[in-house]
């Protein structure tokens, strides 16, 4: 699918004759050079695209230009140079009337300090976008009520915003954006003014709403933990430039430069990294149709103490232990000597590693990681988990010592070219 | 000091005024007719009713917009005016002030809006407002008389010019003070400039604009008294009469009438601009009951 928002080489320079600032920047001048000239370079050569249904987070400290960037996306601030397409149409070449039309139909916005109209009731605030579009009263009241119900404010229509707490006011701001029925949502530090507990609630609610409504969301924040928590992809901004775009795992594991690396020091990696990032491929897996002799051979070859058995559709069938297999071979049995079912603990690929410690401590064997459809992806031996946790604890930006590129999809079968690493042998 | 030539600014102004008198007389006649009509009818309306009935009505207005305490105070003080036999004069002054205020506001608010939205307009308007406000009020009376001869109309015109500036200033201030993010929200949802002005800026600027209107009324009242010198009817005329005959008794009574009228108009307009503060007003009570019914119905 083509991207909903795509920006190419966006510049925003404030001051007299800003175009000369863009020229200077392209020639290699720095932000400080421009400042001496009386120009402020807020955004420098920003390019990014947001796919339909994606939660794209722009993260940066104050003064990094992220608020300017989001205001260029809906044309509140015209860019000094560059192009911006909304759904394939160039926003900057549109007439003012057409831009207003785009804002009414396609883009709505949630503001840091809510920006509710204090003289209107909650219901009238939620209906504001629809009122501007010229929808009749009964229809817009109905849509506003639906939106308010979605954010958990059913029955508050008649109150003034001043009667509501900060978190509730921002829910009204969100309802106003949702009621407008646009497919793009811009959120400018939307949760930054809320206290931490409420912020977390709102983040959860936003994730849930986005999954349900499939909105494309451009979210601005200065809080890296928030960015990592909700973002499908994150753009890191510094001094007006986008320094890195990637998933939270990519940014954690491969920071583009020292600035990003310094930034992610404080992130609680065990909350951000998921099972799929640290899991590894077992040296071999066994088809469930095989017998104990094959199992024994594989275990000997791989020097492992355990073996994962898969059904034909790649869902995990069970776990075999070395001792049991040896016994079965000696006894001449032809069926596989399953370990007790509770000995195989299955986790989903998106489980944060913080939630892996308890099951890992209870099981001798590695945790088995499956994808959304329950198909086998890999295993997390205890040692791997502890190594990853150790790295997370030190906060070093270097990637944890797990083999393979994290986040890569791992095919379950046919990979016999696996070296036996230390973790594997220590896990005996 | 001979090397500084005498610049005859005063004479230029005079000949300018003369030119206007000769060439724009038709316009002045129209203005004159309109003001005479407005003030005449309003005065008639205010004095047509029995004074006691009128006092009850004015007290009720005080209760509706502010509080029952103000209503009682209004009734008592207006009864005092009635007993001082200044009632009709007070109503004449009130008519003059109200018409002057309405005209001043009708001019001031749009000018203020323009000044708020356009820096160039603002930088032109500001010195003009300074001039209008600092020029001694009596000076306005001279051209006013040349244009409109004596009576209520020149008094009105001088009053409007003198009372206009705070209306313009406070409107501009009020609109500029509106939270930028709120205006941005309007833009972000695709509102046109007119929709933003009507739906966001003006409503949020109302308290400040009403503070300006309050100032306009106070200035109009003081100027309305001065206008008594050129024959505008009302308490001002009584004050001027008291001065010329050194009649202290009349001076005190007419002056008290001005004070009482000023307090009444001030309290009413202050409450109009800041209705949220006056939770005990009849209007607020009605609104609260209606809101309760609306949420109860859900």
């Amino acid at each position: 699918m083509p991207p909903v928002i795509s920006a190419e080489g966006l510049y925003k320079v404030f001051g007299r004759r800003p175009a000369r600032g863009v020229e200077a920047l392209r020639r290699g001048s720095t932000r400080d050079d421009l400042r001496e000239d009386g120009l402020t370079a807020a955004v420098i050569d920003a390019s990014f695209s947001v796919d339909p249904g994606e939660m794209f987070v722009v993260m940066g400290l104050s003064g990094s230009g992220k608020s300017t960037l989001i205001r260029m996306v809906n044309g509140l601030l015209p860019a000094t140079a560059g192009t911006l397409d909304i759904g394939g149409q160039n926003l900057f070449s549109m007439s003012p009337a057409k831009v207003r039309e785009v804002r009414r139909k396609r883009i709505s916005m949630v503001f840091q300090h809510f920006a509710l109209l204090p003289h209107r009731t909650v219901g009238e605030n939620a209906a504001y976008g629809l009122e501007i579009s010229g929808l009749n009263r009964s229809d817009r009241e109905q849509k506003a009520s639906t939106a308010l119900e979605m954010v958990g404010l059913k029955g508050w229509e008649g109150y003034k915003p001043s009667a509501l707490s900060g978190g509730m006011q921002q829910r009204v701001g969100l309802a106003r954006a949702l009621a407008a029925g646009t497919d793009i949502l811009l959120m400018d530090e939307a949760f930054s003014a809320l206290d931490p507990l409420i912020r977390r609630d709102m983040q959860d609610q936003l994730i849930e709403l986005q999954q349900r409504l499939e909105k494309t969301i451009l979210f601005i924040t200065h809080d890296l933990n928030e960015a990592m928590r909700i973002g499908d992809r994150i753009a890191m901004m510094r001094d007006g430039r986008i320094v890195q775009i990637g998933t939270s795992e990519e940014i954690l594991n491969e920071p583009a430069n020292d600035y990003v690396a310094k930034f992610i020091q404080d992130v609680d990696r065990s909350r951000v990294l998921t099972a799929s990032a640290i899991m590894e491929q077992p040296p071999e897996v066994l088809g469930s149709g095989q017998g104990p002799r094959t199992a024994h051979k594989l275990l000997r070859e791989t020097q492992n103490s355990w073996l994962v058995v898969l059904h034909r559709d790649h869902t995990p069938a069970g776990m075999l232990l070395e001792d049991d297999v040896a016994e079965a071979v000696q006894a001449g049995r032809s069926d596989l000597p399953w370990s007790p079912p509770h000995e195989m603990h299955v986790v989903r690929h998106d489980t944060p590693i913080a939630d892996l410690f308890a099951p890992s401590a209870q099981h001798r064997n590695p945790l088995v990681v499956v994808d959304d459809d329950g198909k086998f992806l890999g295993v997390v031996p205890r040692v791997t988990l502890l190594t990853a946790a150790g790295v997370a604890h030190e906060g070093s930006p270097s990637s944890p010592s797990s083999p393979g590129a994290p986040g890569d999809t791992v095919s379950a079968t046919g990979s016999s070219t696996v070296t036996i690493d230390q973790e594997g042998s220590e896990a005996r | 000091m001979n090397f500084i030539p005498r610049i005859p600014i005063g004479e230029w102004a005079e000949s300018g005024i003369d030119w206007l008198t000769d060439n724009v007389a038709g316009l002045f006649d129209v203005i004159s007719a309109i003001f005479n009509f407005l003030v005449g009818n309003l005065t008639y309306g205010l004095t047509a009713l029995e004074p006691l009935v009128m006092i009850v009505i004015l007290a009720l207005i005080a209760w509706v917009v502010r509080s029952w305490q103000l209503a009682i105070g209004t009734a008592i003080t207006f009864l005092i005016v009635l007993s001082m036999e200044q009632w009709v004069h007070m109503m004449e002054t009130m008519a003059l002030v109200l018409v002057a205020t309405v005209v001043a506001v009708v001019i001031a608010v749009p000018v203020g809006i323009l000044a708020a939205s356009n820096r160039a307009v603002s930088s032109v308007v500001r010195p003009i407002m300074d001039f209008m406000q600092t020029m001694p009020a009596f000076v306005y009376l001279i051209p006013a008389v040349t244009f409109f001869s004596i009576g209520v109309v020149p008094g009105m015109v001088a009053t409007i010019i003198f009372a206009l500036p705070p209306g313009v200033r406070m409107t501009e201030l009020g609109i500029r003070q509106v939270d930028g993010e709120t205006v941005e929200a309007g833009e972000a949802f695709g509102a046109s400039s007119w929709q933003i002005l009507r739906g966001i800026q003006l409503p949020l600027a109302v308290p400040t604009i009403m503070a300006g209107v309050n100032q306009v009324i106070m200035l109009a009242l003081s100027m309305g008294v001065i206008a008594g010198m050129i024959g505008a009817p009302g308490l001002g005329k009584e004050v001027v009469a008291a001065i010329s005959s050194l009649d202290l008794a009349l001076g005190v009574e007419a002056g008290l009438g001005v004070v009482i009228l000023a307090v009444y108009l001030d309290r009413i307009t202050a409450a109009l601009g800041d209705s949220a503060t006056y939770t005990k007003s009849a209007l607020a009570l009605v609104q609260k009951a209606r809101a309760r019914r609306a949420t109860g119905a859900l």
Side-chain angles (χ1 to χ4, degrees):
Chain A
M1 264 193 287
V4 181
I5 305 169
S6 88
E8 247 335 289
L10 281 184
Y11 283 85
K12 181 70 193 180
V13 178
F14 293 103
R16 266 174 187 278
R17 292 197 293 120
R20 73 194 156 104
V22 174
E23 285 303 313
L25 286 166
R26 282 185 178 145
R27 280 198 308 270
S29 299
T30 65
R31 244 185 161 195
D32 293 330
D33 296 341
L34 258 69
R35 194 162 297 139
E36 283 168 19
D37 245 0
L39 294 175
T40 311
V43 173
I44 304 165
D45 196 17
S47 301
F48 64 93
S49 64
V50 186
D51 294 326
E54 188 179 23
M55 178 98 76
F56 189 86
V57 178
V58 178
M59 140 84 212
L61 297 182
S62 54
S64 63
K66 54 192 192 305
S67 289
T68 309
L69 185 70
I70 200 174
R71 279 164 177 72
M72 287 197 280
V73 174
N74 64 355
L76 286 182
L77 288 175
T80 317
T83 57
L84 185 109
D85 288 0
I86 300 292
Q89 287 177 295
N90 187 345
L91 190 73
F92 301 141
S93 63
M94 289 178 193
S95 66
K98 189 84 202 333
V99 171
R100 282 201 295 273
E101 187 70 16
V102 168
R103 289 177 190 157
R104 289 175 192 177
K105 297 282 180 320
R106 300 217 53 182
I107 311 179
S108 45
M109 190 161 173
V110 182
F111 292 84
Q112 180 174 8
H113 301 291
F114 325 137
L116 300 177
L117 306 179
H119 60 292
R120 290 161 160 253
T121 64
V122 166
E124 287 165 351
N125 265 292
Y128 182 74
L130 300 166
E131 185 187 330
I132 293 299
S133 313
L135 197 69
N136 67 54
R137 180 175 286 272
S138 65
D139 281 359
R140 68 179 190 241
E141 276 176 1
Q142 193 201 332
K143 285 191 177 181
S145 290
T146 315
L148 283 169
E149 200 177 333
M150 256 187 256
V151 299
L153 284 180
K154 192 180 179 194
W156 287 85
E157 284 88 343
Y159 289 82
K160 287 280 169 66
S162 53
L164 273 59
S165 70
M168 290 163 86
Q169 291 191 25
Q170 191 57 298
R171 281 168 206 268
V172 179
L174 189 56
R176 175 171 65 180
L178 292 176
T182 57
D183 58 332
I184 305 172
L185 220 59
L186 305 181
M187 306 191 67
D188 179 23
E189 299 248 16
F191 303 151
S192 300
L194 308 175
D195 59 57
L197 275 179
I198 298 187
R199 196 185 308 172
R200 236 187 134 77
D201 271 0
M202 294 289 285
Q203 290 165 357
D204 289 340
Q205 195 168 29
L206 182 68
I207 294 169
E208 193 253 330
L209 280 170
Q210 194 214 13
Q211 279 168 356
R212 193 142 52 97
L213 304 172
E214 293 181 344
K215 302 268 181 197
T216 305
I217 301 181
L218 181 61
F219 194 103
I220 302 284
T221 182
H222 64 257
D223 177 354
L224 186 60
N225 281 311
E226 181 168 76
M228 297 263 166
R229 209 169 122 75
I230 64 173
D232 293 325
R233 281 191 304 150
I234 300 167
M236 304 281 292
M237 274 191 95
R238 186 202 187 185
D239 292 345
R241 292 180 192 272
I242 295 182
V243 292
Q244 185 172 13
I245 297 181
T247 64
S248 50
E249 280 168 12
E250 282 164 9
I251 286 176
L252 274 182
N253 290 324
E254 300 151 48
N257 57 27
D258 288 351
Y259 177 77
V260 178
K262 226 170 104 186
F263 224 104
I264 58 181
Q265 270 178 10
D266 302 330
V267 174
D268 183 357
R269 297 163 72 92
S270 69
R271 285 263 152 230
V272 178
L273 286 180
T274 56
S276 63
I278 60 162
M279 71 183 182
E280 44 193 69
Q281 277 289 284
E284 268 302 350
V285 291
L286 189 70
S288 59
Q290 309 281 2
R293 276 178 195 287
T294 322
H296 193 245
K297 179 169 169 286
L298 284 178
L299 281 167
R300 243 191 5 239
E301 280 171 9
T302 60
Q303 306 220 333
N304 248 355
S305 61
W306 45 265
L307 188 62
V308 177
V309 185
L310 297 184
H311 288 300
R312 199 177 281 274
D313 60 358
H314 293 170
T315 54
M319 185 80 84
L320 298 177
L321 298 182
E322 194 180 26
D323 298 347
D324 298 342
V325 172
E327 211 172 278
V329 169
Q330 273 176 1
R333 283 166 59 183
S334 61
D335 57 328
L336 290 169
W338 300 107
S339 66
H342 65 262
E343 274 299 317
M344 184 179 75
H345 191 82
V346 178
V347 295
R348 279 166 50 95
H349 66 101
D350 56 358
T351 315
I353 62 176
D355 297 344
L356 297 179
F357 291 107
S360 183
Q362 287 159 10
H363 296 88
R364 204 146 49 97
N365 304 318
L367 304 172
V368 173
V369 184
V370 296
D371 66 9
D372 289 333
D373 301 326
K375 295 196 195 310
F376 178 77
L377 287 177
V379 291
V380 181
R382 196 182 291 170
V383 171
T384 310
L385 182 60
L386 292 178
T387 313
V391 173
H393 187 70
E394 284 163 21
S396 146
S398 70
S399 80
S401 62
S402 64
D408 278 2
T409 43
V410 183
S411 74
T413 52
S415 63
S416 54
T417 60
V418 176
T419 55
I420 300 163
D421 54 35
Q422 280 185 314
E423 285 104 336
S425 50
E426 278 172 17
R428 287 160 185 248
Chain B
M1 295 295 278
N2 285 335
F3 58 91
I4 299 178
R6 172 75 167 93
I7 306 173
I9 292 179
E11 282 166 35
W12 291 344
E14 198 181 338
S15 50
I17 299 288
D18 283 346
W19 184 88
L20 283 175
T21 323
D22 295 341
N23 294 284
V24 209
L27 179 66
F28 293 143
D29 288 346
V30 173
I31 294 175
S32 190
I34 292 172
F35 284 170
N36 265 322
F37 174 82
L38 288 175
V39 179
N41 278 301
L42 189 57
T43 312
Y44 176 78
L46 289 173
T47 49
L49 284 173
E50 191 62 26
L52 282 175
V53 179
M54 201 62 212
I55 289 173
V56 170
I57 292 174
L58 292 172
L60 276 176
I61 291 174
W63 184 51
V64 165
V65 302
R66 192 158 169 138
S67 62
W68 58 265
Q69 288 96 331
L70 181 66
I72 291 175
T74 302
I76 294 173
T77 51
F78 281 11
L79 280 171
I80 293 172
V81 174
L82 187 60
S83 83
M84 293 189 298
E85 294 176 350
Q86 295 293 344
W87 179 257
V88 175
H89 297 138
M90 190 169 90
M91 288 300 108
E92 283 168 351
T93 301
M94 194 154 156
L96 174 77
V97 167
L98 288 182
V99 174
T101 303
V102 168
V103 174
V105 167
V106 165
I107 297 170
V109 170
V111 172
I113 291 170
L114 271 178
S117 57
N118 189 322
R119 206 166 283 277
V121 174
S122 175
S123 53
V124 171
V125 164
R126 193 163 302 162
I128 296 178
M129 290 302 135
D130 289 339
F131 177 90
M132 284 164 66
Q133 215 169 4
T134 46
M135 184 61 113
F138 296 96
V139 178
Y140 294 127
L141 297 178
I142 306 164
V145 170
T146 20
F147 291 152
F148 303 106
S149 81
I150 57 164
V152 72
V153 178
M156 280 278 305
V157 172
T159 303
I160 290 167
I161 293 174
F162 186 67
L164 200 59
V168 176
R169 279 183 213 280
M170 298 294 259
T171 305
E172 183 182 349
L173 179 72
I175 288 178
R176 282 190 191 278
Q177 265 179 348
V178 171
D179 177 27
E181 211 181 39
T182 323
V183 175
E184 219 173 31
E187 288 178 34
F189 283 93
S192 61
S193 323
W194 171 244
Q195 282 171 321
I196 290 174
L197 181 67
R198 280 253 353 245
I200 299 175
Q201 289 174 313
L202 274 183
L204 293 184
V206 158
T208 316
I209 294 178
M210 284 311 292
V213 171
N214 179 278
Q215 291 294 305
V216 169
I217 290 184
M218 292 301 107
L219 285 184
L221 192 58
S222 70
M223 189 63 197
V225 172
I226 294 171
M229 292 176 66
I230 50 171
L235 293 169
K237 211 171 176 180
E238 297 302 296
V239 171
V240 171
I243 293 171
S244 52
S245 58
L246 283 178
D247 184 345
L248 181 62
L250 178 62
V252 167
E253 288 183 354
L256 258 182
V258 172
V259 171
I260 288 168
L261 182 60
V263 169
Y264 177 75
L265 291 176
D266 175 67
R267 296 299 184 271
I268 296 284
T269 47
L272 280 177
D274 194 12
S275 51
T277 314
Y278 301 100
T279 49
K280 293 278 158 46
S281 74
L283 206 62
L285 293 177
V286 170
Q287 273 173 353
K288 220 177 287 171
R290 199 179 295 160
R292 206 174 302 133
R293 214 175 313 138
T295 46
L298 277 168

